[in-house]
Amino acid sequence: MTLSQNHIKKLASHLTLLSDIRRGVEKEGLRVDTQASLSATPHPHSLGSALCNDHITTDYAEALLELITSPRSSVEGLQSDLLHVHQFVARHIGDEVMWNQSMPAYLPPESDIQIGWYGTSNSGLFKNVYRRGLAERYGKRMQCIAGVHYNYSLPDKMWSLLEIEGRTLQEQRSNGYLALIRNFTRFSWLLMYLFGASPIVSKDFLHGHDLPLEQLGPDSYYLPWATSLRMSNLGYQNKEAQAELQLCYNDLDTFLLRMRRAATTPWPAYAAIGTHRNGEWIQLNTNILQIENEYYSNIRPKRTPKADERPATALANHGVEYIEVRCLDIDPFDPIGLSAASSRFLDAFLLFCAAEPSPIFPEGGFCQDSKNNFALVVTEGRKPGLLLKNQYKQDIELKSWAEEILLAMQPYVELFDKGTGHTHYQDALQAQFAKVQDASLCPSAQLLQQVKESGLSFVDFTYAQSQVHKATLLKQEIPADTLQALTQAATESLTQQAQIEAKEANQSFENFVLAFEKKLDLPRG
């Protein structure tokens, strides 16, 4: 019996553990006006405080909404949460729409893109200045790209079943999540093939790109075989400074050491910018990373920090609590940007990544090959006969490797369905098999085909689609108690922000930043 078969057998004897898996979503989306342009209005007061509302905030731009669910023990509960918060937003943004696409609508000149404002408290100013730094380093346009973040945690009892080593539960848990992340790194190209949905972009977004884009209708450019331009060099990318990190997640100590180094080491180009201009803060510091969250990665180990902790310090003190998958495009065909079938596939895929053998990446080995595979699939994933590099450094056709992975996932899918008495997970897997057999079924191909047939530009097509989604959300009833809870959360968040601002009215922001810098209490190596 192989190690994988042994793990599957043990899990089959403990099916109730699958009901203790938790998943949550952070879904971004631009507010867009009636001209299909980025909204220039402030974050709606009726949505509460972007600083303090646990359900609705903003990410980078003032108009880039981020909708957040609670951790849920079922896909049904997750979908319900995500639907309700979308319905609430749809009722409070007037004639604007929430842009249901990862690549942006029409954007104004960079100088007119409003960075998120979180009030006058030190914590609010901190968030704003951090975003000013992102603007200086990467430009504002890249920060207006949107996606879906999928948070996922396994119950503690599962790590012993999977025979994860560790002297303590905390160490065992962290080692288990890092093993999951390594396998995710090996196989995440598959997610981009199956769920990538941003193969096309507006001309308005393009500035200084180096991809060989082709024109598709008015003001629209694409790559014929692309799955996710959002995750290509056109969108999110690790700049030269971040490339120094070389994070392959072999062990937590090395990860934290490199993260600390990046968060404390000045980078010449950022030092040349400085932290102030005309007496105003423009970035928190001149280090490779202003804060840990600046590191652009497809997946992150996470731990909810306590009040006095930075993210990396929380990981060092308490270990990994869950993982955050960050490479998912918004599903433009679903009103809430993530279908139940996609969520179920992700559940099984991530359990597969946790349970399958996950050897350490050798120095200069398959870690970089995995990143190269990912980069190739986002730009050429649907190209017939596309070759990737497997763990043996051998060329393998994407279609063949995808079939291997999906077949290996079959037992995990069956476990989920045994636990529920339905075939929902099996149905989700079969839908992905169909995409592997016929690339025209991939959402990236479907989107290109529909834009072509419409005769519209990418922006006009997406605006019309977003309007339809908003109408769908408005037609559906939202439970009265849910509406009351979301309304109360928005109101209370405004009160909470006012209280924070009053408490910090006479406190120095400079001292606040200095105190934050000192919180990075990690081994120096």
Side-chain angles (χ1 to χ4, degrees):
M1 182 181 294
T2 66
L3 183 62
S4 300
Q5 290 171 330
N6 184 45
H7 289 168
I8 292 165
K9 183 179 179 180
K10 287 183 176 181
L11 290 171
S13 300
H14 296 79
L15 285 179
T16 55
L17 284 180
L18 298 185
S19 63
D20 291 329
I21 290 174
R22 295 291 184 269
R23 75 279 288 152
V25 164
E26 301 161 32
K27 191 259 187 176
E28 301 161 348
L30 293 170
R31 284 187 295 112
V32 171
D33 66 21
T34 56
Q35 303 303 309
S37 296
L38 182 73
S39 173
T41 62
H43 184 65
H45 190 267
S46 56
L47 297 182
S49 161
L51 180 67
C52 299
N53 192 337
D54 292 335
H55 305 290
I56 304 168
T57 183
T58 58
D59 191 319
Y60 173 77
E62 181 74 352
L64 181 54
L65 291 168
E66 182 176 321
L67 312 187
I68 305 166
T69 73
S70 302
R72 290 298 180 186
S73 60
S74 69
V75 169
E76 292 78 10
L78 178 74
Q79 287 277 303
S80 179
D81 267 10
L82 195 56
L83 172 63
H84 293 155
V85 73
H86 273 81
Q87 289 176 299
F88 185 79
V89 167
R91 284 160 170 75
H92 291 89
I93 57 174
D95 57 5
E96 295 179 345
V97 299
M98 191 168 179
W99 193 249
N100 212 40
Q101 231 292 336
S102 284
M103 299 309 286
Y106 291 131
L107 297 176
E110 287 238 343
S111 59
D112 293 335
I113 296 175
Q114 299 301 309
I115 294 171
W117 176 248
Y118 304 91
T120 59
S121 69
N122 285 330
S123 51
L125 291 174
F126 188 92
K127 292 170 73 73
N128 178 261
V129 173
Y130 166 61
R131 285 155 176 77
R132 292 189 196 183
L134 297 179
E136 295 288 338
R137 296 172 177 215
Y138 315 107
K140 293 181 177 180
R141 293 178 116 68
M142 190 182 92
Q143 307 299 321
C144 291
I145 295 171
V148 176
H149 298 172
Y150 200 78
N151 300 316
Y152 187 84
S153 68
L154 295 169
D156 287 341
K157 291 181 181 179
M158 195 170 284
W159 301 120
S160 57
L161 286 182
L162 299 179
E163 302 172 77
I164 301 298
E165 295 182 357
R167 292 166 296 179
T168 63
L169 174 59
Q170 176 177 316
E171 188 175 297
Q172 188 180 44
R173 186 193 303 119
S174 293
N175 289 340
Y177 280 122
L178 291 181
L180 185 164
I181 290 172
R182 289 195 299 277
N183 272 340
F184 182 91
T185 303
R186 293 178 172 101
F187 306 129
S188 56
W189 59 264
L190 179 60
L191 298 183
M192 305 320 297
Y193 175 84
L194 297 175
F195 302 111
S198 57
I200 184 170
V201 64
S202 167
K203 180 182 179 181
D204 182 64
F205 179 78
L206 301 175
H207 286 276
H209 70 89
D210 57 1
L211 289 176
L213 299 178
E214 301 178 17
Q215 187 165 6
L216 178 72
D219 300 321
S220 307
Y221 289 80
Y222 76 116
L223 285 178
W225 309 112
T227 62
S228 178
L229 293 180
R230 165 181 172 260
M231 297 305 298
S232 74
N233 286 341
L234 183 63
Y236 285 107
Q237 56 185 300
N238 285 347
K239 299 289 187 178
E240 181 184 0
Q242 294 198 18
E244 298 285 309
L245 282 167
Q246 294 296 314
L247 299 178
C248 286
Y249 303 101
N250 282 338
D251 65 90
L252 187 59
D253 286 344
T254 300
F255 168 78
L256 292 173
L257 178 65
R258 292 179 177 176
M259 190 62 71
R260 184 191 191 284
R261 188 179 300 148
T264 57
T265 303
W267 186 252
Y270 304 155
I273 296 171
T275 58
H276 289 71
R277 182 180 299 137
N278 299 325
E280 292 188 355
W281 283 84
I282 57 171
Q283 57 179 343
L284 294 172
N285 54 57
T286 63
N287 298 328
I288 294 171
L289 303 178
Q290 297 176 90
I291 60 175
E292 298 90 316
N293 288 351
E294 188 175 335
Y295 180 63
Y296 293 118
S297 58
N298 300 333
I299 186 170
R300 286 177 179 167
K302 298 280 283 189
R303 160 67 62 174
T304 304
K306 296 181 179 178
D308 59 343
E309 291 180 321
R310 288 180 60 156
T313 310
L315 284 172
N317 290 341
H318 314 293
V320 184
E321 180 184 13
Y322 63 98
I323 56 97
E324 177 189 36
V325 175
R326 299 169 51 81
C327 59
L328 295 173
D329 284 345
I330 293 169
D331 182 346
F333 305 109
D334 192 288
I336 59 176
L338 178 72
S339 71
S342 297
S343 184
R344 292 189 178 99
F345 180 84
L346 285 167
D347 285 351
F349 179 78
L350 293 170
L351 181 59
F352 161 80
C353 287
E356 292 290 305
S358 182
I360 298 294
F361 285 119
E363 193 70 28
F366 190 57
C367 182
Q368 187 57 52
D369 289 337
S370 297
K371 293 174 182 178
N372 293 341
N373 287 338
F374 187 94
L376 187 59
V377 171
V378 299
T379 56
E380 299 185 51
R382 290 178 288 103
K383 186 177 182 179
L386 182 67
L387 296 177
L388 304 178
K389 193 76 71 177
N390 67 13
Q391 60 267 42
Y392 308 110
K393 290 191 173 292
Q394 299 170 335
D395 289 338
I396 182 171
E397 191 172 344
L398 179 149
K399 183 172 182 284
S400 298
W401 199 1
E403 289 172 345
E404 287 180 17
I405 296 170
L406 295 180
L407 285 171
M409 285 179 57
Q410 179 68 40
Y412 300 96
V413 165
E414 292 174 358
L415 290 175
F416 276 104
D417 278 338
K418 283 180 183 177
T420 63
H422 299 288
T423 62
H424 295 324
Y425 281 84
Q426 179 64 43
D427 295 342
L429 184 67
Q430 290 305 314
Q432 310 320 314
F433 264 115
K435 294 177 188 176
V436 172
Q437 300 304 317
D438 182 359
S440 70
L441 298 177
C442 292
S444 54
Q446 293 280 302
L447 181 66
L448 284 174
Q449 184 63 30
Q450 291 189 23
V451 173
K452 286 179 182 178
E453 292 175 352
S454 73
L456 300 172
S457 69
F458 163 71
V459 169
D460 288 342
F461 175 87
T462 304
Y463 181 70
Q465 194 176 43
S466 298
Q467 283 183 305
V468 170
H469 288 328
K470 181 179 180 180
T472 299
L473 293 170
L474 290 174
K475 286 178 184 176
Q476 294 176 302
E477 289 292 328
I478 181 169
D481 57 341
T482 301
L483 178 60
Q484 180 181 358
L486 288 170
T487 302
Q488 184 175 346
T491 301
E492 290 178 351
S493 70
L494 293 168
T495 301
Q496 186 179 355
Q497 178 177 327
Q499 291 171 343
I500 294 172
E501 290 175 351
K503 181 180 178 181
E504 299 182 358
N506 298 316
Q507 296 179 12
S508 163
F509 181 66
E510 286 74 11
N511 290 340
F512 183 88
V513 174
L514 286 173
F516 178 83
E517 298 289 348
K518 292 177 181 178
K519 289 179 182 178
L520 194 58
D521 184 19
L522 301 174
R524 295 176 181 272

